Amino acid sequence: MDHIKAIPKASVNGNIRRVRITMQMTFIIPVVVLALLVLAAIFAPLLAPYPSTQTSLPNRLLPPFFITGGSTAHFLGTDLVGRDILSRVFYGARISLSVSLIVILITSIIGTILGIMAGYLGGRADTGLMRITDVALAFPQILIALLLAVVLGPSFRTVVLALSILGWAPYARLIRGEVLRVREADFIAQARIIGSSTLRIMIKHIFPNVVNPLIIIATMSVGLVILTESILSYLGAGIPPPNPSWGSMVSDGRNLIDKAWWISVFPGMAIGLVVLSGNFLGDWIRDKLDPRLRQL
């Protein structure tokens, strides 16, 4: 119709350009933050100006350098016993990253295996595995961790075990849904016709088709695992002192937040940045792997 004006091509191109820039930024910024986390974890002994457990009572509760009374010798200040906050943040990154990678590796392997088995085999196997998954999803991880901390004592192993016992359930649920969609495809039927075994079909034909959602959920789990580990350390069920953990550092400063806020704020900011970066990167990967958005 003549009276309806067409949308200017320049306007459309401008919108597409803005979408592309936004998608690039949601990739670049999280990658930079997570890369800095990895570098801080790997090179913590070189980057940290002091050992993470070194105390200095004469220098206790020094403020950051940009506040009156602060010093560049302790860039982000010190805690109640004079330990350097910047050094402990660097070493805390090492612990947080180690816990996150180990837990994600364990839970993704278990969840993927159970999800593929449930989705492809169906029947009683599917019903039984999904009921177990429902129980795991309904049970609070924090409670399990607290119970393990009482029985085994707070430690690195306790944190990894507590987060791995139930952490596989979201993977299993997601992968099972993807397998239900894939198993009806023609190439699966053809593999059955030529006599491929069930194990071969699951490994060679099913697994490659669930890798994309697996990557997405694993990426988005980085921040969640670090946040959960921090909560456990905050509650005293995580990494035991004097080893630095972002959660335990936040806990150390909770009673001093009115006069020494930097003890809790800087590790809290590190937790927030990593959680947001993991979520943004997961969203970017999901959008990138979505065929409906690949044309942008």
Side-chain angles (χ1 to χ4, degrees), residues 114-237:
L114 295 180
I116 291 177
M117 290 176 59
Y120 183 73
L121 298 178
R124 293 182 178 179
D126 183 24
T127 302
L129 290 173
M130 285 303 101
R131 295 299 76 78
I132 296 174
T133 302
D134 291 338
V135 173
L137 288 171
F139 214 89
Q141 272 187 324
I142 301 297
L143 180 57
I144 288 288
L146 293 175
L147 292 174
L148 288 174
V150 172
V151 176
L152 304 177
S155 67
F156 185 91
R157 291 182 180 180
T158 300
V159 173
V160 171
L161 180 61
L163 297 182
S164 301
I165 286 178
L166 303 177
W168 55 268
Y171 292 89
R173 176 67 71 184
L174 176 67
I175 297 300
R176 182 249 187 187
E178 291 295 316
V179 173
L180 289 177
R181 178 182 60 83
V182 172
R183 73 175 185 179
E184 303 300 330
D186 292 339
F187 65 89
I188 299 296
Q190 293 171 0
R192 294 196 195 100
I193 292 173
I194 64 175
S196 296
S197 65
T198 299
L199 181 61
R200 179 179 176 81
I201 291 175
M202 288 193 292
I203 295 175
K204 196 162 183 70
H205 300 287
I206 297 291
F207 176 70
N209 286 278
V210 300
V211 168
N212 287 353
L214 179 61
I215 293 174
I216 294 171
I217 190 174
T219 304
M220 299 186 73
S221 296
V222 172
L224 180 61
V225 172
I226 290 177
L227 179 61
T228 307
E229 178 271 321
S230 301
I231 293 173
L232 295 178
S233 297
Y234 180 86
L235 295 175

Side-chain angles (χ1 to χ4, degrees), residues 64-76:
F65 78 98
F66 52 84
I67 296 179
T68 302
S71 169
T72 53
H74 297 281
F75 204 71
L76 299 183

